[in-house]
Amino acid sequence: MLKKVIQYLVILLVGGGFMYYVFKDQNWAELWQKIVTANLWWLSVGLLVSIISHWLRAYRAVLMYDAMNYKIKTSNSFYAVLIGYMMNYFIPRAGEVARCASLSKSDNFPVEKSLGSVVIERIFD
């Protein structure tokens, strides 16, 4: 329990540090004006297309895992895809490894097999 609390605190502190660094010289009135005048229709469309795209990528991965006789939940694969994208912001190309590690932890899927599926995905992409 204490380990989880510490992990979440570290994540919040690192995230807060990044947010401070990004917004430290921001004109808050100007930022708020941009947020208020943003077209929510296009933001919603963009968000929906993005979620569908990530879900399809996760589902495609699940189909490959099924071919290897591993039953992975699509939701866990979706979360792994999102973790991979997040990791790519910090270390380019580390997202694929993070995705494999996430599936290993959530579904006991061997990392070496998931890395193989990532290589196959890259070939097809």
Side-chain angles (χ1 to χ4, degrees), residues 1-12:
M1 176 68 179
L2 181 62
K3 181 180 175 185
K4 284 260 189 218
V5 170
I6 292 172
Q7 286 176 335
Y8 284 118
L9 285 175
V10 168
I11 289 169
L12 286 173

Side-chain angles (χ1 to χ4, degrees), residues 45-89:
V45 170
L47 180 64
L48 181 64
V49 168
S50 177
I51 289 172
I52 290 171
S53 168
H54 298 334
W55 188 266
L56 288 173
R57 184 169 183 207
Y59 185 70
R60 178 181 68 175
V62 167
L63 292 176
M64 285 198 293
Y65 304 148
D66 280 342
M68 292 186 275
N69 295 321
Y70 284 94
K71 300 298 179 209
I72 306 294
K73 291 198 286 187
T74 306
S75 60
N76 287 348
S77 181
F78 178 71
Y79 298 140
V81 166
L82 295 181
I83 289 168
Y85 281 129
M86 181 187 68
M87 188 62 157
N88 280 335
Y89 284 118

